[in-house]
Amino acid sequence: MLEPVSYDIGRVCKEKDGTLTPNLIDVKIRSYTSKKSEEIFLLLPFSKVSDGILTPTIKMPFDTPREIAGIFNKSHVGNAKYKDEEITYQIINVGKHIDLLKIEDADLYIIADGRRIIERKELLIIQKIREKISPNSGIYFPGTIPYEMPLLAYMGVDYFDNISAKYYASLGYKFTKNRLIKSNDDFEMLYMHNKKVIDEVLEEIRYCIKEGCLRNLVEETTISNPYLRANYRRYNPDLRNIPSSKGKKIIVCIDETRIPEVKKYIERAKNYEPFTNVVVLLPCSSKKPYSTSKSHKFFINAINSSKMVVEEIILTSPYGLVPRALEGVVNYDIPVTGEWSNEEVEFINETLKNYIKKVKEKFGDTIIISHLPEHYLEILDLDDYINTAVDGNPLSDESLNNLKETLKKIKEEQNINLNKKQQKIHNYQQLAKFQFGVNFIPDDVVIKDRPNKRFLINKNNKLVQICSLNENNGLFVLTLQGGELLWELNGKDVLYVEVNYDIRKGSLFAPGFKDCNENISVNDEIVLIKDDEVVGVGRALMNGLEMKKAKHGALVNIRHVKS
């Protein structure tokens, strides 16, 4: 029924005729009747009996006690016509007992009693359904209001309807994206207006998914509604449905430390290993990557002038801390006021302490140098560090010279002789661990900077390229030789997709899929294998679990194949 084409926690899918979801659905579902009218229960809200779905038994009330839940029909499976095609649907009817949910194989899953589910903060049922069904199947949530649609799409809903447009028009309300407004306009005018708002909201949802900013739209539309906000806060999305680096600036205004992009970064940055025990703490900058900003050029120049090799660690909200090696994968903007929330303070200090602990575990001790503005020092919960920012201004000539001279003194006293070239390679190795979970870049790698940054190894007295660096998202792009190196190092622990045929450049479709690593995220660089041999490399179009459940559609963009 659907082919996913874009993910940002929620997803955009394509129907056979090219229609993109999330969208409205007009599905003709056969009605069921009962001899006793009082036994007929209309499942879809706000619709006429002739247009709706009728269950052959009474629908389970939301708060039904578990002891008597067994007497109700918990779902109904049937066939329907949609765009001249026969589809199978399942109506989900489990009340508050999500654990009673039994998913049948269907093209479309219809959520019953949606209003109560929202008000009772039980929208996690959508996540439970999405986890179990094929990515080619759709989820339909009837009777929604425009400001509910972004959150529902974020959670995995594909289809909505116009039922609420007519219902609220009949009550004298017109829609905006964020609320209902009482109006004296006539029914037809309100109905047409409400339908238009629904169309506009769905268009914006699709746009935001493609641009990687659906979370921002969800924040806008849930912040004024306690029920929606509670559902949003309770939802823990599948982090595999966002890339490791979006390559576009993300906007972070609320829930700074809780957003999926930060959670995914923290999850992957845990693999980072420091190169030295001398750590310089630096402030963030509005321009990203940090090293391209005016302030960080001054910092880098002062550090380089000292001839000292250090770990440059940027303290920031929302990411906590960012090593210089990983600065290319974070691109964000936040409202800067000079004030920190309690949550930000706790998060930054926790991540910093964990990092210092890792430095001490590797080197035995650590030297911390704080080159931070005054408002950073106010939140820093460290007992032992050297402050080189004079009068709380790290950019003054006096402060920059103090940083340089302090590093020179440490270098002499500690007799530290580390190689800057070795650190450069080390940083790229840590980036590889962030991206792939394992380093595949050897210590003797040759790095070429033009026309783009390429990484080569000596193989049979010939330089061969293993990867290049994508400047847009700060991540590596594999060559076939790089894929082979990864496979040799870690086998099926790497991000692999196994195929059952001789592949070509282009797309891997579901029939050619055999198996994969479920940890694959959308847009991940992956290794393609057949009979335990690397046959190509490419980019994942969906996460690994979705690949395993897919019935049709493209799963991987194949870039290089073995000849």
Side-chain angles (χ1 to χ4, degrees), residues 35 40 124 132 294 347 395 403 468 505:
K35 293 180 180 178
I40 300 178
L124 295 183
K132 296 181 180 181
K294 187 176 180 179
F347 182 65
L395 286 171
L403 173 62
S468 60
K505 288 183 182 179

Side-chain angles (χ1 to χ4, degrees), residues 29 39 41 55 109 207 277 284 290 316 318 379 445 459 482 516:
I29 297 178
E39 291 180 358
F41 189 92
T55 60
Y109 297 86
Y207 170 83
N277 68 330
C284 65
Y290 307 115
T316 180
I379 69 163
V445 68
K459 191 173 183 180
C516 74

Side-chain angles (χ1 to χ4, degrees), residues 269-302:
K270 287 178 181 177
N271 290 324
Y272 183 83
E273 288 187 23
F275 183 70
T276 172
N277 68 330
V278 181
V279 179
V280 176
L281 304 180
L282 298 169
C284 65
S285 62
S286 59
K287 190 174 182 181
K288 314 294 187 304
Y290 307 115
S291 57
T292 63
S293 69
K294 187 176 180 179
S295 60
H296 276 255
K297 286 179 181 178
F298 283 126
F299 300 151
I300 292 168
N301 183 59

Side-chain angles (χ1 to χ4, degrees), residues 29 52 58 67 128 136 180 253 263 394 428 461 526 542 556:
I29 297 178
I58 300 174
E67 291 76 13
K128 298 292 184 183
N136 305 120
L180 307 176
C253 293
K263 288 182 178 180
Y428 286 123
N461 295 319
I526 56 95
M542 61 178 65
V556 176

